[in-house]
């Protein structure tokens, strides 16, 4: 998994590529923790995300909760299979997916 | 490193030795170069100095000799010329006296009585006496002049006696008679006692003086009686313009010859040349001048040797300086002084070679000393070379020994250290400082570093041991936890042996020691079977703990009799109260009415269930999904219902099954899952689960699994 972060004022675009699974989720979580403190708009670009496991979902949930307090969060370019996972797990109910 | 003679080839010791040897060799090369240069320079200097000295000595001695010889020769020659001239001057005076006496007597002969005269008396031989001799056929008794001339007898005797160099004096008369004074009276007679005749008027001194009309010196003549070489001086006597007599004296050159001989003894010669350039006197074997009687004598002024001829001409008129001439290939120093009285010249000469003898002797002596010195110098040099060689040898040996000793001192602690380090193994890990390492240099630092490293290593090993023990303990505990977790799940099959109306089977294969998946089933009452399939986000112990909590909560709320949606809502509420870790769990919970096959279920973010109708195939049942449990407080879930026919089967699973990944990164997927189930659709749950496990394993191959594999199958009979 690779993470690419782009900052625009208080908005942060996080581009992720590869798999967000049990092995890579801790890194994903750490990267987010380090960068979203002053962030009011968090955008995840999921164009390159092949798969997300429950550990990854947990990170997204955690980020969503944080952003609920300080601004907004959305996911863009989500692939079909990943979208399936979101649907199955009910994450489509709480995430803002465009 | 090969060890030879106690020296490790290629080792530090050898390197130090090499260094010392290279240094020594360099030192010696420089030393040898400098020495060679010095010796060469010294040799050259000594040679040059020697040559210069020789040249200087030669030149100085040449100059000195030339000066000394020049001075002495010129002076001596001048003196000799003076003396000789004085001699001749005396003779000249004597002869002139006789001439004037005779002239006086003959002019006034009338006034004198004849004086007595006598024939030679042999008894008087050896003493000066007046003797009358005459030409053949002349009667001396008839001579009218003889008596007059006899008046001079006593004067002439006195003259001869007083003069140191006059041998005789005489007066020859024009009438053929002759009165002479000498000490050779006996010689006037032949062996028979007959008086020898004396051809007065034929004698050269007579004729020459008569012809010259004035005082005349003869050349060198042999004396009539003695045969000795002499010079005659004569002068004519006239009476009334008529020649009446010739007076004269003989000068034997004995006295002058003594000078010449004395001079000859020292290698020099004296010679006398007369006014006609003829050699009057010369020592025998002198190399230049040969005495000949007047008749044979050559004029030296016209000699073939121009140099000599020119010199002779000059010497007859003036005092010459020291001149150098070459005669018959030999160099001579020559000096000449004129004798003014007779117009002759005295010539002194000496072979240059002889004058150079002292210089040559000095030179050869110098050479000898020089050779001696050079010999000593060479000896000293040879000795110095030997000494140097010995010194070099000693230096080499000392250098090698010192280098070996020093190198040994350096190497020994290192070897000791190496040995000790080699020995380190197992529990013997301590490298301790030893006195032999306290060298005060890098070795001590190295040893200290080793010691520190050894201590650190020991500490580290202890730490590792501790950590390993800890890990092992944790591992053991994890294994225990896994067992406890497994024990928590219903795992005795068949679980309800007395029930023949349904068959249920479930498995969980954790990816790690402790998984986050769980299944559960329990009879809520006689007719209702609760079934749970859940997947906790994350892995390991936290997931396991969370799973236990979720399992107990679901079980508890289910047993309290609420609908599945209600149970999930209650569980969610309970979990969200204390969920700082933001963990969540996907849960499918359904309650089966065993008699009717009616299933009421709620899905909190879990995978779709798979259902098979009695005679149909397994198909995915896309149910209504709610959000995961524990994700968000206050979530609502919805119940839904479906019917499981008799002979139908419900298959529940976690995402570990469809998301199992092979080496090519392909997911197992729902298609393969369905294919596996449909391969044997009528099989009992245990077989179905076994088939599924095999299919997944075959698909995955050697690729590592990250997710748990949890399945539950229930079939209505």
């Amino acid at each position: 998994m690779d993470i690419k972060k782009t900052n625009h004022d208080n908005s942060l675009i996080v581009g992720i590529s590869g798999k967000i699974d049990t092995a890579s989720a801790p890194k994903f979580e750490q990267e987010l923790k380090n960068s979203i403190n002053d962030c009011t708009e968090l955008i995840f670009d999921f164009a390159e995300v092949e798969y997300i496991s429950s550990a990854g979902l947990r990170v997204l949930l955690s980020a969503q909760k944080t952003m609920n307090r300080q601004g907004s969060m959305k996911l863009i370019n989500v692939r079909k299979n990943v979208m399936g996972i979101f649907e199955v797990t009910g994450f489509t109910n709480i995430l803002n997916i465009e | 490193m090969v060890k030879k003679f106690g020296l490790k080839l290629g080792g530090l010791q050898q390197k130090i030795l090499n260094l010392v040897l290279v240094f020594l060799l360099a030192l010696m090369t420089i030393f040898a170069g400098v020495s060679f240069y010095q010796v060469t320079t010294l040799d050259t200097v000594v040679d040059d100095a020697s040559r210069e000295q020789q040249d200087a000595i030669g030149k100085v001695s040449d100059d000195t000799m030339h000066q000394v010889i020049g001075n002495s020769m010129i002076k001596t020659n001048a003196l000799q010329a003076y003396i000789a001239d004085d001699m001749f001057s005396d003779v000249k005076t004597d002869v002139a006296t006789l001439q004037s006496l005779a002239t006086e007597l003959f002019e006034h002969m009338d006034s004198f009585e004849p004086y007595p005269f006598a024939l030679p008396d042999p008894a008087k031989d050896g003493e000066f006496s007046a003797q009358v001799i005459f030409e053949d056929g002349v009667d001396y008794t008839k001579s009218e002049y003889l008596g007059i001339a006899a008046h001079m007898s006593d004067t002439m005797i006195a003259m001869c006696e007083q003069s140191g160099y006059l041998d005789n004096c005489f007066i020859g008369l024009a009438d053929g008679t002759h009165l002479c004074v000498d000490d050779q009276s006996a010689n006037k007679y032949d062996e028979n006692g007959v008086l020898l005749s004396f051809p007065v008027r034929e004698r050269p001194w007579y004729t020459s003086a008569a012809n010259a009309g004035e005082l005349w010196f003869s050349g060198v003549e042999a004396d009539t009686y003695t045969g000795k070489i002499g010079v005659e001086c004569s002068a004519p006597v006239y009476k009334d313009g008529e020649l009446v007599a010739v007076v004269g004296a003989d000068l034997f050159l004995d006295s002058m010859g003594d000078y010449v001989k004395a001079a000859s003894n020292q290698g020099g010669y004296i010679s006398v040349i007369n006014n006609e350039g003829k050699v009057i006197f010369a020592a025998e074997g002198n190399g230049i001048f040969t005495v000949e009687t007047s008749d044979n004598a050559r004029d030296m002024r016209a000699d073939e040797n121009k140099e000599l001829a020119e010199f002779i001409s000059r010497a007859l008129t003036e005092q010459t300086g020291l001149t150098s001439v070459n005669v018959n290939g030999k160099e001579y120093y020559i000096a000449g002084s004129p004798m003014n009285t007779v117009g002759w010249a005295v010539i002194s000469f000496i072979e240059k070679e002889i004058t150079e003898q002292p210089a040559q002797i000095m030179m050869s002596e110098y050479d000898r000393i020089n050779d001696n010195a050079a010999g000593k110098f060479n000896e000293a040099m040879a000795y110095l070379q030997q000494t140097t060689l010995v010194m070099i040898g000693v230096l080499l040996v000392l250098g090698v020994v010192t280098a070996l000793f020093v190198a040994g001192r350096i190497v020994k602690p290192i070897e000791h250290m190496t040995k000790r380090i080699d020995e380190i193994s197992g529990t013997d890990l301590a490298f301790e400082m030893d006195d032999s390492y306290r060298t005060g240099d890098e070795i001590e630092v190295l040893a200290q570093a080793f010691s520190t490293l050894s201590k650190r290593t020991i500490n580290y090993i202890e730490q590792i041991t501790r950590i390993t023990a800890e890990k092992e303990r944790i591992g053991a505990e994890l294994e225990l936890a896994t067992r406890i977790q497994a024990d928590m799940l219903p795992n005795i099959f068949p679980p309800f042996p007395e029930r023949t109306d349904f068959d249920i089977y479930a498995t969980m294969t954790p990816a790690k020691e402790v998984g986050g998946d769980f299944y559960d089933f329990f009879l809520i009452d006689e007719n209702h079977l609760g079934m749970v399939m859940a997947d906790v986000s994350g892995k390991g112990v936290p997931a396991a703990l969370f799973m236990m909590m979720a399992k107990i909560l679901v079980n508890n709320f289910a047993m309290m009799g609420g609908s599945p949606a209600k149970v999930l809502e209650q569980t969610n509420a309970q979990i969200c109260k204390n969920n700082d870790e933001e963990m969540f769990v996907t849960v499918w919970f359904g309650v089966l009415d065993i008699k009717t096959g009616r299933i009421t279920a709620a899905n909190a973010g879990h995978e779709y269930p798979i259902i098979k109708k009695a005679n149909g195939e397994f198909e995915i049942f896309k149910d209504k999904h709610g959000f995961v449990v524990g994700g968000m407080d206050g979530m609502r879930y919805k119940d839904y219902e479906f019917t499981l026919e008799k002979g139908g089967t419900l298959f529940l699973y976690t995402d570990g099954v469809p998301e199992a990944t092979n080496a090519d990164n392909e997911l197992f997927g729902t298609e393969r899952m369905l294919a596996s189930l449909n391969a044997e659709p009528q099989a009992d749950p245990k077989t179905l689960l076994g088939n599924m496990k095999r299919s997944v394993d075959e698909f995955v191959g050697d690729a590592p699994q990250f997710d748990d594999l949890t399945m539950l199958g229930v079939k209505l009979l």
Side-chain angles (χ1 to χ4, degrees), chain B residues 190-430:
Chain B
D190 67 9
E191 60 268 29
N192 301 318
V194 181
L195 184 68
L196 293 167
S197 68
F198 185 71
V200 181
R201 287 166 295 186
E202 289 171 22
R203 297 303 294 171
W205 52 267
Y206 186 93
T207 50
S208 299
N211 289 339
E214 56 176 17
L215 193 86
W216 172 88
F217 275 102
S218 76
V220 175
E221 298 292 345
D223 182 62
T224 315
Y225 304 106
T226 61
K228 287 201 279 186
I229 297 287
V231 171
E232 288 176 328
C233 178
S234 57
V237 178
Y238 298 97
K239 178 184 182 318
D240 303 328
E242 287 282 319
L243 179 76
V244 290
V246 174
V247 293
D250 272 355
L251 176 70
F252 292 112
L253 299 176
D254 293 350
S255 49
M256 203 167 148
D258 290 340
Y259 284 123
V260 173
K261 273 172 192 155
S264 303
N265 285 341
Q266 292 159 8
Y269 300 100
I270 283 177
S271 190
V272 179
I273 309 289
N274 76 359
N275 52 342
E276 288 168 342
K278 292 177 179 174
V279 179
I280 301 285
F281 189 84
E284 282 178 24
N286 65 62
I288 301 183
F289 302 112
T290 321
V291 179
E292 302 280 357
T293 47
S294 299
D295 305 333
N296 297 328
R298 292 175 297 116
D299 186 350
M300 292 300 288
R301 291 172 299 184
D303 195 80
E304 292 161 3
N305 188 332
K306 296 283 174 226
E307 214 177 12
L308 184 61
E310 192 271 335
F311 173 78
I312 299 292
S313 304
R314 204 150 50 86
L316 285 168
T317 55
E318 63 184 39
Q319 172 70 47
T320 70
L322 188 69
T323 310
S324 190
V325 294
N326 186 312
V327 181
N328 297 331
K330 282 185 182 168
E331 281 290 327
Y332 292 89
Y333 283 129
I334 189 161
S337 311
M339 290 162 63
N340 295 325
T341 308
V342 283
W344 299 355
V346 173
I347 310 289
S348 288
F349 56 97
I350 188 165
E351 246 184 78
K352 245 188 183 174
E353 205 174 272
I354 291 164
T355 71
E356 279 162 4
Q357 265 172 2
Q360 274 163 359
I361 288 165
M362 190 152 69
M363 289 295 261
S364 61
E365 179 65 9
Y366 175 79
D367 279 351
R368 197 182 60 75
I369 290 168
N370 218 26
D371 284 353
N372 208 356
K376 278 182 180 156
F377 174 74
N378 285 337
E379 267 173 40
M381 275 299 168
Y383 180 70
L384 188 70
Q385 270 175 351
Q386 280 174 359
T387 315
T388 309
L389 280 177
V390 169
M391 257 171 60
I392 287 171
V394 169
L395 214 61
L396 268 176
V397 170
L398 272 179
V400 167
V401 168
T402 312
L404 284 176
F405 176 70
V406 171
R409 287 200 52 171
I410 293 171
V411 168
K412 198 154 250 165
I414 295 177
E415 283 181 343
H416 189 188
M417 210 182 294
T418 312
K419 191 163 163 271
R420 175 68 197 115
I421 290 168
D422 280 345
E423 284 166 1
I424 286 178
S425 69
T427 52
D428 179 19
L429 291 168

Side-chain angles (χ1 to χ4, degrees), chain B residues 8-115:
Chain B
K8 272 186 186 164
L9 296 183
L12 209 52
Q13 200 175 16
Q14 199 208 345
K15 279 171 187 160
I16 291 168
L17 182 62
N18 287 352
L19 186 73
V20 170
L21 285 180
V22 166
F23 175 72
L24 279 178
L25 280 177
L27 205 67
M28 281 186 294
T29 307
I30 292 168
F31 179 71
V34 170
S35 294
F36 179 75
Y37 174 74
Q38 278 179 338
V39 167
T40 314
T41 312
L42 206 57
D43 251 2
T44 315
V45 165
V46 167
D47 274 359
D48 286 354
S50 165
R51 210 167 20 251
E52 275 172 28
Q53 267 178 324
Q54 264 175 321
D55 288 352
I57 287 169
K59 189 170 171 357
V60 167
S61 106
D62 254 10
D63 289 353
T64 311
M65 267 333 266
H66 186 88
Q67 252 177 340
V68 167
I69 286 169
N71 279 343
S72 81
M73 258 177 87
I74 291 164
K75 272 186 194 158
T76 311
N77 197 61
L79 188 64
Q80 278 166 343
Y82 175 78
I83 291 166
D85 195 45
D86 195 42
M87 207 156 68
F88 284 110
S89 176
D90 281 356
V91 172
K92 197 176 163 185
T93 309
D94 286 347
V95 171
T97 307
L98 288 177
Q99 185 191 28
S100 64
L101 190 61
T103 305
E104 199 68 24
L105 281 172
F106 286 124
E107 275 184 4
H108 303 96
M109 63 185 292
D110 299 339
S111 320
F112 297 105
E113 283 297 313
Y115 194 79

Side-chain angles (χ1 to χ4, degrees), chain B residues 556-583:
Chain B
N556 284 353
F557 290 125
M559 294 308 278
M560 284 158 73
S563 75
K566 189 76 181 165
V567 168
L568 291 183
E569 278 166 21
Q570 285 171 317
T571 306
N572 183 56
Q574 198 61 38
I575 287 172
C576 284
K577 276 184 189 167
N578 293 298
N579 188 15
D580 292 340
E581 298 310 311
E582 285 166 343
M583 294 190 79

Side-chain angles (χ1 to χ4, degrees), chain A residues 19 51 58 62 65 88 90 94, chain B residues 582 605 625 627 631 659 665:
Chain A
K19 288 181 175 178
Y51 169 75
R58 200 190 123 244
S62 180
K65 287 184 177 173
V88 164
I94 60 149
Chain B
E582 285 166 343
H625 273 235
F627 193 55
E659 289 168 10
N665 235 353

Side-chain angles (χ1 to χ4, degrees), chain B residues 497-512:
Chain B
E498 70 283 5
R499 305 286 303 225
T500 53
D501 43 2
F502 69 92
D503 186 4
I504 189 164
Y505 192 78
T507 59
M508 184 187 76
T509 314
K512 290 195 178 181

